[in-house]
Amino acid sequence: MDNWKKISFLVGVFAFIREFRPIEPFYAAYMTSPYINCTVEQIPTELYAVGSYSMFVLIIIIFLVTDYVKYKPVLIVDGIGGVFHYVAITNRPSKLRIQFGQAFYGFFFSAEVALFGYLYAMVEEKEFYQKITGHARAATLTGKFFSSCLSQILATYYGTPPFNALVYMSIFGMSSTTIWAIFLPKVKNSLYFPNKKKIEETSMGQSTVTIYNPEKYKDSQLSIEAAPNEEKVDKPENNEVVEAEQSLINTLYNDFKQSYSDPYVRKLCFWWAVAMGGYLQVYAYINVLYTYVLEENEDTEFTLYNGAAESLNTLTGALSAFAISKVNWNWYFVGDIFFSVGSVIAAVVLLCCVYCRNLWYIYAFYIIYGMMYQTMLTIAESEVAKRLNKKCYGLIFGFNTFIAVCINTIIIYGVIQGHFIKINIAQQFLIYTALYAVLAIFFFGTSIWKMFKDEGIVEYH
């Protein structure tokens, strides 16, 4: 089996079992159940906020550390963080214990950056990057689909979600993730940090040649003064290692600057970061919205189909992403209109969630939103990836995620916790609507500008 196929399979299995967390579609319902008795208002302001702040603090640290430790240790700790997160909510936990678990969830999410970094570091052939990226994304969505289906089947069978069973199944999934990560192949070389051993060996070889260079020492005599010469030779050896490490910052800066010097990459990364910031909010708070609507309607008999909605959201997203990847269009030419129309659709369905009080319609709106987001993200990722140097994948992907987390954190602090404005959970979706409305206006404007500048005929390769 080819190396890229082997690595793609191993990472795909890891991504699949990492998404096996059946409690997720019913997490908000679990928090408001008699087992815990949190209010709908407490979930976003006192529980989810902890995870978001943890994510904000840890993602930049993890991003910088992953390449240094060569990815695999971060993937192992990622699974352990997931185990701690779900263990913390077992057996009628206190609010403090839930918040402790949310801190680990922030780490769990942040460590996802290492997944694609590991993938790219293990596969050297750049021509396979689009395929292995697609395989990893498909495995992630398939795992989420399977997990959501299972949770919905159990909820339907028992008439109510079996919260404890779903939590322990999530712990099993995270434990399996950790075990699988342990047996993943090691990354031999990092993309940015130098291999000190090789540098030292090279320096030692050079110093040996220098000491026994007959041209340099033909007029000298052997004596005890040879020792000082050896000391002088040792200095360049250490300097090479130091200089190699000091060049890391310059390398990162130059790669960052070169990648974002492309206006096409900047534009797509702008969509990527803002849209992901909105997605993080929608994904986290859609389940809170379900519970809020039920409480507002005073409907105690409605059977929750959160798992079914999540599974369909994932399935339609995966199918649409797969289908759009087969479309052979010049995305430089049609991309602006595509992102503009897609962002408008996303904004409209999110706006409908604000005012609709029928849970079936909200399920449908969420499924449509997920389909549009995954489709547009697939194009954004693949188009950006085509323009980047191999070693810049992790850098640019990680930075885009960091900006998305910053947007998420600002919304948490200013809106959800009410430091800027105080609104209810349904009205929060107005903020998410505004994010996609801004993206729609921006890309519509760039398409008009391109039309007037007559640059649409230019094709980038």
Side-chain angles (χ1 to χ4, degrees):
M1 181 183 291
D2 295 335
N3 178 65
W4 72 270
K5 292 181 179 179
K6 174 185 174 183
I7 297 302
S8 180
F9 170 76
L10 293 174
V11 172
V13 173
F14 176 87
F16 179 89
I17 57 180
R18 185 179 183 273
E19 293 300 324
F20 185 74
R21 296 171 281 144
I23 189 59
E24 284 302 309
F26 298 100
Y27 191 92
Y30 178 44
M31 293 295 108
T32 56
S33 69
Y35 292 100
I36 299 178
N37 257 340
C38 285
T39 65
V40 175
E41 291 73 21
Q42 284 180 309
I43 296 174
T45 58
E46 299 180 21
L47 303 182
Y48 284 176
V50 176
S52 297
Y53 290 139
S54 170
M55 191 190 307
F56 175 73
V57 172
L58 292 173
I59 191 166
I60 191 66
I61 299 174
I62 292 174
F63 168 65
L64 294 174
V65 167
T66 47
D67 191 62
Y68 183 76
V69 299
K70 299 179 182 177
Y71 302 95
K72 180 178 174 178
V74 178
L75 296 179
I76 296 173
V77 179
D78 177 44
I80 296 173
V83 171
F84 284 155
H85 168 58
Y86 292 110
V87 167
I89 61 174
T90 57
N91 301 324
R92 299 180 181 274
S94 63
K95 187 174 75 172
L96 181 61
R97 185 144 66 95
I98 298 172
Q99 290 173 330
F100 178 76
Q102 279 292 322
F104 279 101
Y105 181 78
F107 176 85
F108 174 77
F109 176 85
S110 302
E112 188 176 359
V113 175
L115 177 62
F116 286 94
Y118 174 85
L119 191 62
Y120 301 136
M122 289 296 293
V123 178
E124 296 183 358
E125 301 89 349
K126 188 174 181 179
E127 62 269 22
F128 298 122
Y129 274 21
Q130 186 170 348
K131 288 186 177 181
I132 61 178
T133 303
H135 294 168
R137 177 167 292 281
T140 299
L141 294 173
T142 304
K144 191 177 293 185
F145 171 75
F146 176 76
S147 176
S148 301
C149 279
L150 179 61
S151 63
Q152 185 59 58
I153 290 171
L154 292 175
T156 304
Y157 178 79
Y158 288 105
T160 184
F163 296 118
N164 281 329
L166 295 178
V167 171
Y168 282 108
M169 290 168 69
S170 300
I171 294 173
F172 171 77
M174 295 299 95
S175 301
S176 301
T177 301
T178 305
I179 294 171
W180 187 264
I182 291 173
F183 292 100
L184 288 175
K186 293 182 179 179
V187 175
K188 295 180 180 179
N189 299 309
S190 68
L191 296 175
Y192 283 105
F193 288 90
N195 190 324
K196 293 182 181 180
K197 185 176 180 180
K198 287 185 178 180
I199 292 173
E200 289 172 1
E201 288 176 353
T202 303
S203 301
M204 288 176 65
Q206 291 173 347
S207 65
T208 303
V209 172
T210 303
I211 292 172
Y212 295 100
N213 187 344
E215 295 296 325
K216 182 175 181 179
Y217 294 101
K218 63 183 179 180
D219 295 327
S220 63
Q221 297 179 352
L222 292 176
S223 67
I224 58 172
E225 293 180 1
N229 289 336
E230 292 180 4
E231 290 179 4
K232 291 179 181 179
V233 170
D234 286 340
K235 290 181 181 179
E237 175 185 323
N238 292 331
N239 287 339
E240 282 197 51
V241 179
V242 172
E243 288 174 4
E245 292 179 344
Q246 288 177 342
S247 67
L248 170 64
I249 296 177
N250 290 332
T251 303
L252 285 169
Y253 174 75
N254 290 334
D255 287 345
F256 181 87
K257 184 178 179 180
Q258 181 181 2
S259 299
Y260 281 107
S261 64
D262 186 342
Y264 188 52
V265 170
R266 284 202 307 268
K267 181 172 60 177
L268 291 178
C269 285
F270 172 70
W271 182 92
W272 185 342
V274 175
M276 179 179 283
Y279 175 77
L280 292 175
Q281 285 284 308
V282 174
Y283 180 74
Y285 295 107
I286 190 67
N287 292 311
V288 183
L289 179 64
Y290 298 152
T291 306
Y292 173 83
V293 170
L294 285 181
E295 289 190 1
E296 193 175 67
N297 294 341
E298 298 181 353
D299 189 348
T300 58
E301 297 181 358
F302 185 88
T303 301
L304 288 172
Y305 287 91
N306 299 10
E310 191 63 47
S311 61
L312 287 174
N313 175 289
T314 304
L315 180 62
T316 55
L319 292 176
S320 61
F322 178 78
I324 201 69
S325 66
K326 300 297 182 181
V327 176
N328 189 23
W329 288 351
N330 179 358
W331 290 107
Y332 181 83
F333 179 71
V334 301
D336 288 350
I337 293 296
F338 175 78
F339 283 105
S340 178
V341 173
S343 298
V344 166
I345 295 174
V348 169
V349 295
L350 290 175
L351 182 63
C352 291
C353 290
V354 178
Y355 300 105
C356 181
R357 290 298 175 267
N358 185 311
L359 210 52
W360 291 109
Y361 289 148
I362 295 177
Y363 284 148
F365 296 145
Y366 178 56
I367 292 169
I368 295 171
Y369 166 77
M371 179 181 68
M372 295 308 304
Y373 172 78
Q374 294 294 347
T375 303
M376 291 186 288
L377 182 63
T378 300
I379 298 303
E381 283 184 338
S382 61
E383 286 297 294
V384 169
K386 290 175 185 177
R387 315 279 293 200
L388 296 181
N389 184 287
K390 171 186 174 180
K391 65 178 180 178
C392 297
Y393 277 81
L395 176 67
I396 301 305
F397 286 19
F399 183 76
N400 290 343
T401 304
F402 173 70
I403 297 300
V405 170
C406 289
I407 294 172
N408 178 61
T409 305
I410 291 171
I411 296 175
I412 289 280
Y413 180 81
V415 179
I416 294 175
Q417 292 191 317
H419 290 97
F420 299 158
I421 56 174
K422 194 167 183 64
I423 54 180
N424 62 41
I425 182 64
Q427 292 169 337
Q428 288 174 18
F429 278 70
L430 284 172
I431 306 297
Y432 318 147
T433 300
L435 290 177
Y436 285 93
V438 168
L439 291 173
I441 294 171
F442 174 80
F443 277 89
F444 179 75
T446 57
S447 66
I448 297 298
W449 179 85
K450 187 185 298 182
M451 187 182 304
F452 280 109
K453 291 291 184 179
D454 196 27
E455 291 184 1
I457 58 174
V458 179
E459 183 173 356
Y460 282 80
H461 296 281

